[in-house]
Amino acid sequence: MASTELTQLLARSWIFSDLSKREIEALTAIAQMRVARPKQTVVKKGEEAGPLFAVLRGRLKVVTPGVERDAAFRILGPGDLFGEVAAFDDGERSATVTALEICQLAVIQRDTFRAFLEQHPSVSRKLLSVFARRVRELSARVEDRAFLEAPARLAKCLLGLAERYGKAQPEGVVCELKLSQSELGELVDATRESVNKQLRTWKSDGVLSHEAERIVFHDVEALRRLAQA
């Protein structure tokens, strides 16, 4: 990727949006490009902390591997960061991040990024908001598992995917995100079998349809009601 294109993509990332053109160019100078293929592990839980990653194109999932099944925390897309804790903490990686599709990532080495933060406090302030959002997500995840049944958790997860990645089409809201039923189960702490059963029920009810390449939401309002059940 040419440095001009990298500069443009970094400038579109919300965390760097307050930087001037000169500052974005300085950031480009310390960033390296990396391409991740589908199902490729970018960082692995337990590894020594290393660089920060900014997602420029494509989507990835953040997972904590388990004994019986993995637990997925969230889906990352363009503008998101991961490995940001390494900017302040020298501990091990706390989760595994795997590409769901072809991804383009900007990679910035930890020490280099720390020096950059000292010169650009606006980025430090935005990083704090990233950390705050992570805490809120974890709190919401704990609450969902304590108070919501699996169908409601799945509906809430799908609703989030529809709102973030969906595009309105004549057939409904289309989310072209390649998530298997097992991966959906990871996101809501449910088995693949229970996810399969629920998706078949909702398909029969006309709420949605799930194919290998995409999810089509035919009745988003019904899904919203199911998420509150």
Side-chain angles (χ1 to χ4, degrees):
M1 179 183 291
S3 60
T4 301
E5 185 179 1
L6 176 56
T7 299
Q8 293 172 347
L9 289 170
L10 286 171
R12 292 175 193 160
S13 179
W14 72 273
I15 196 167
F16 303 126
S17 60
D18 291 340
L19 299 181
S20 67
K21 180 180 179 182
R22 180 176 295 181
E23 290 171 329
I24 287 290
E25 290 173 347
L27 184 63
T28 302
I30 63 173
Q32 296 178 322
M33 284 302 306
R34 182 181 301 181
V35 175
R37 303 295 176 185
K39 298 185 180 181
Q40 179 180 343
T41 296
V42 181
V43 301
K44 188 175 182 180
K45 181 180 178 180
E47 289 180 338
E48 181 181 351
L52 170 94
F53 296 84
V55 184
L56 303 177
R57 288 177 177 153
R59 287 171 284 240
L60 309 93
K61 65 176 180 178
V62 182
V63 173
T64 293
V67 177
E68 295 184 357
R69 62 173 181 266
D70 296 342
F73 289 117
R74 58 188 176 275
I75 304 297
L76 302 174
D80 285 330
L81 299 176
F82 63 96
E84 69 277 2
V85 175
F88 303 97
D89 183 7
D90 295 327
E92 298 177 343
R93 297 288 190 189
S94 59
T96 295
V97 181
T98 304
L100 292 169
E101 53 197 27
I102 294 178
C103 297
Q104 289 181 320
L105 309 170
V107 186
I108 307 173
Q109 296 302 317
R110 179 175 50 190
D111 292 342
T112 306
F113 189 64
R114 284 174 174 172
F116 186 84
L117 289 178
E118 290 179 1
Q119 299 174 21
H120 305 283
S122 64
V123 177
S124 296
R125 289 192 293 271
K126 285 195 172 183
L127 264 180
L128 289 175
S129 70
V130 171
F131 295 147
R133 185 173 64 188
R134 296 283 189 261
V135 172
R136 290 181 183 274
E137 288 174 353
L138 288 173
S139 296
R141 188 181 181 90
V142 171
E143 289 181 4
D144 288 348
R145 276 151 181 71
F147 302 115
L148 295 181
E149 299 295 332
R153 296 200 305 269
L154 179 59
K156 185 175 180 179
C157 172
L158 292 172
L159 185 63
L161 295 176
E163 292 174 344
R164 184 170 185 185
Y165 300 114
K167 296 181 180 179
Q169 303 287 348
E171 58 193 308
V173 177
V174 178
C175 177
E176 294 183 347
L177 183 60
K178 299 178 182 179
L179 285 176
S180 68
Q181 293 178 6
S182 294
E183 288 171 326
L184 286 172
E186 292 171 5
L187 286 167
V188 298
D189 193 23
T191 64
R192 187 199 65 80
E193 291 75 16
S194 63
V195 169
N196 176 271
K197 180 179 179 181
Q198 195 60 61
L199 291 177
R200 284 191 284 109
T201 297
W202 289 340
K203 180 178 181 179
S204 177
D205 293 342
V207 176
L208 57 78
S209 53
H210 181 243
E211 304 168 8
E213 300 295 322
R214 63 180 189 166
I215 307 172
V216 182
F217 302 95
H218 305 294
D219 192 341
V220 176
E221 288 305 315
L223 193 66
R224 186 169 284 111
R225 291 192 296 271
L226 289 165
Q228 297 173 349

